[in-house]
């Protein structure tokens, strides 16, 4: 992802007069006369932001909680929470408050450093809204989507994006102002489009299970490429990028455990591999457990999947958290699911989301309220460094 747009956020606190962070693709720039060494000194803990974020978000008597993370490149990105948005342009050494207010972010999606989109709620309301910013996240405008409740958005640039509901897909070409429904099969439970023509869908067939379908003509015609036997069909999630497609198929959940299977395709959905099938005592059998590829997902026992990040045509990451085990982790593959490795973080938490701007550098945010923190990896998730820690409900 590339951008030539930049904007500047001044640091709060003692370095406000000496350091300006440039919100763009380049390095951190210092003002004339500033100590270059001080600009590289990494902060710890909450970076002095907790009081500001609590006051601005209206949760002064509660605990701050992260909800999502989104990085443009290895150094520049944002993390959102309930009523706040923070950012860094020097790989997490310093963080700044970008926004505080009514919006409780559920998903962030910045196609460049100035224009961004988000799904968000307001306090005490179950409705999810689509909102947009043109100044890097400082101010947000609600976009009307009558009759559409998005569960995930995916913008390719400031104008073109896709929105996914629990049973369909939509496309916009004017920055989210208007949306056109894309043709998906009946009983669709998840969809994803890699391009305007190339798309995928998970379809429920009662009495049979899940069918994985693909289209190469924008949804005019759909072909079934895999049938997955399942006694239950609790839903699905799909991710697509380039040649690779990944499908999370859910069974039941119970006793803080989630049963689910992960399938991968490296040739645009023509052929599929079952990466693992995580059956649990509380959730019962995972979909397709009689197939090859048995095993567990990350953050076990009973790990719940978060979101996925796909890079290139072969690399994929999956975030997860386990309420039963009180931990978070990721799973990864460098070969479109032929091999799979689970990695747990040592620090506590029970839900997480990830953003990987490149194959080895990634970011994980703990979204549970017992240990709200941000971590960075530069070796594909093998090791993690904490870059931000907010006071938790246990403090």
């Amino acid at each position: 992802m590339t951008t030539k747009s930049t904007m500047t956020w001044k640091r709060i606190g003692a370095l406000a007069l000496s350091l300006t962070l440039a919100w763009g693709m380049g390095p951190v720039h210092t003002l004339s006369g500033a100590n270059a060494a001080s600009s590289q000194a990494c902060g710890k803990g909450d970076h002095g932001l907790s009081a500001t974020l609590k006051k601005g978000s209206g949760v002064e008597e509660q605990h701050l909680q992260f909800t999502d993370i989104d990085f443009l490149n290895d150094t520049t990105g944002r993390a959102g929470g309930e009523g706040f948005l923070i950012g860094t342009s020097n790989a997490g050494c310093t963080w700044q408050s970008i926004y505080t207010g009514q919006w409780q972010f559920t998903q962030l999606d910045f196609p460049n450093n100035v224009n961004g989109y988000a799904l968000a709620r307001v306090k005490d309301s179950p409705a999810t809204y689509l909102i947009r910013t043109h100044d890097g996240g400082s101010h947000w405008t609600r976009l009307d989507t009558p009759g559409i409740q998005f569960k995930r958005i995916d913008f390719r640039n400031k104008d073109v994006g896709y929105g996914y509901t629990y049973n369909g897909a939509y496309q916009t070409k004017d920055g989210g102002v208007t949306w056109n429904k894309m043709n998906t099969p009946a009983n669709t439970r998840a969809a994803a489009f890699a391009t305007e023509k190339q798309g995928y869908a998970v379809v429920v067939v009662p009495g049979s299970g899940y069918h994985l379908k693909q289209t190469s003509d924008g949804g005019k015609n759909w072909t079934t490429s895999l049938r997955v036997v399942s006694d239950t069909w609790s839903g699905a999630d799909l991710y697509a990028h380039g040649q690779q497609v990944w499908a999370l198929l859910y069974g039941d959940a119970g006793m803080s455990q989630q049963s689910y299977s992960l399938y991968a395709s490296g040739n645009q959905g023509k052929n599929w591999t079952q990466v693992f099938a995580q059956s649990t005592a509380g959730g019962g059998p995972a979909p397709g457990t009689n197939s090859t590829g048995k095993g567990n997902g990350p953050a076990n026992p009973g790990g719940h999947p978060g979101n996925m990040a796909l890079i290139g045509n072969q690399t994929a990451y999956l975030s997860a958290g386990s309420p039963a085990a009180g931990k978070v982790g990721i799973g990864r593959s460098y070969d479109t699911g032929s091999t799979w490795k689970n990695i747990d973080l040592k620090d506590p938490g029970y839900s997480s989301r990830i953003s990987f701007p490149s194959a080895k550098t990634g970011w994980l945010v703990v979204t549970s309220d017992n240990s709200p923190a941000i971590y960075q990896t530069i070796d594909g998730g093998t090791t993690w460094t904490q870059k931000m820690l907010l006071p938790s409900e246990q403090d």
Side-chain angles (χ1 to χ4, degrees):
M1 184 179 298
T2 58
T3 177
K4 294 183 179 179
S5 301
T6 59
M7 63 183 300
T8 301
W9 298 92
K10 290 187 178 180
R11 287 190 60 191
I12 63 173
L15 296 181
L17 297 179
S18 63
L19 176 63
T20 297
L21 294 178
W23 283 83
M25 300 297 287
V28 175
H29 301 283
T30 57
L31 299 178
S32 178
N35 187 334
S38 68
S39 69
Q40 301 303 317
C42 292
K44 295 182 179 180
D46 69 348
H47 295 256
L49 293 177
S50 290
T52 299
L53 300 182
K54 281 188 174 184
K55 183 177 180 180
S57 61
V59 296
E60 291 186 72
E61 303 303 321
Q62 303 176 32
H63 295 280
L64 296 167
Q65 187 170 350
F66 287 117
T67 52
D68 197 21
I69 193 161
D70 184 41
F71 266 71
L72 288 168
N73 53 52
D74 290 352
T75 60
T76 303
R78 298 162 177 82
E82 296 182 342
F84 68 89
L85 181 70
I86 63 173
T88 180
S89 63
N90 56 6
C93 281
T94 53
W95 294 84
Q96 302 79 43
S97 173
I98 300 175
Y99 165 89
T100 56
Q102 67 170 340
W103 293 116
Q104 300 185 356
F105 301 95
T106 59
Q107 187 201 344
L108 302 171
D109 190 3
F110 278 77
N112 60 50
N113 207 30
V114 175
N115 300 285
Y117 299 84
L119 296 179
R121 297 191 299 267
V122 294
K123 188 177 181 181
D124 299 325
S125 173
T128 299
Y129 303 101
L130 175 66
I131 58 177
R132 179 177 66 183
T133 180
H134 290 310
D135 59 9
S138 180
H139 301 88
W140 294 86
T141 301
R142 176 182 162 186
L143 299 172
D144 290 328
T145 57
I148 305 174
Q149 279 281 306
F150 291 124
K151 79 169 187 177
R152 187 168 70 90
I153 53 175
D154 181 14
F155 277 81
R156 310 299 165 81
N157 54 52
K158 69 181 182 65
D159 297 316
V160 178
Y162 296 85
Y164 303 107
T165 65
Y166 285 92
N167 59 3
Y170 295 79
Q171 184 192 50
T172 181
K173 294 184 178 181
D174 57 10
V177 176
T178 59
W179 293 87
N180 296 315
K181 193 176 191 308
M182 306 194 75
N183 184 44
T184 55
N187 294 325
T188 290
R189 291 296 180 268
F193 279 80
T195 67
E196 189 170 0
K197 297 294 185 181
Q198 192 66 40
Y200 311 92
V202 175
V203 174
V204 165
V205 181
S208 175
Y210 295 103
H211 287 190
L212 276 64
K213 295 177 176 285
Q214 63 93 16
T215 179
S216 57
D217 56 14
K220 294 179 181 179
N221 297 282
W222 291 88
T223 302
T224 299
S225 53
L226 181 68
R227 295 172 172 85
V228 179
V229 176
S230 182
D231 293 331
T232 61
W233 37 87
S234 300
D237 285 305
L238 269 175
Y239 295 85
H241 178 79
Q243 297 288 316
Q244 60 175 327
V245 197
W246 294 74
L248 290 158
L249 307 180
Y250 299 105
D252 285 334
M255 299 189 302
S256 299
Q257 299 176 348
Q258 176 69 60
S259 295
Y260 71 105
S261 296
L262 180 63
Y263 286 81
S265 171
N267 58 3
Q268 296 183 321
K270 297 179 180 64
N271 304 102
W272 294 85
T273 298
Q274 187 185 50
V275 182
F276 61 77
Q278 175 177 297
S279 298
T280 63
T289 52
N290 291 326
S291 303
T292 59
K294 292 183 179 179
N296 291 319
N300 261 288
H304 294 230
N307 66 317
M308 294 195 74
L310 312 185
I311 302 96
N313 287 320
Q314 291 188 307
T315 299
Y317 293 89
L318 170 67
S319 68
S322 172
K327 63 182 178 181
V328 297
I330 66 161
R332 75 179 184 204
S333 176
Y334 295 140
D335 51 18
T336 326
S338 295
T339 58
W340 183 262
K341 182 178 178 62
N342 293 322
I343 303 168
D344 291 336
L345 273 71
K346 295 180 180 180
D347 294 275
Y350 53 85
S351 61
S352 65
R353 287 180 64 84
I354 53 174
S355 177
F356 273 76
S358 58
K360 293 296 183 71
T361 299
W363 297 81
L364 178 146
V365 62
V366 177
T367 55
S368 49
D369 56 7
N370 63 329
S371 185
I374 299 172
Y375 297 86
Q376 180 202 38
T377 181
I378 57 174
D379 57 11
T382 301
T383 59
W384 294 86
T385 302
Q386 189 180 96
K387 294 293 187 176
M388 161 71 78
L389 177 64
L390 295 175
S392 71
E393 66 172 7
Q394 297 176 346
D395 296 337

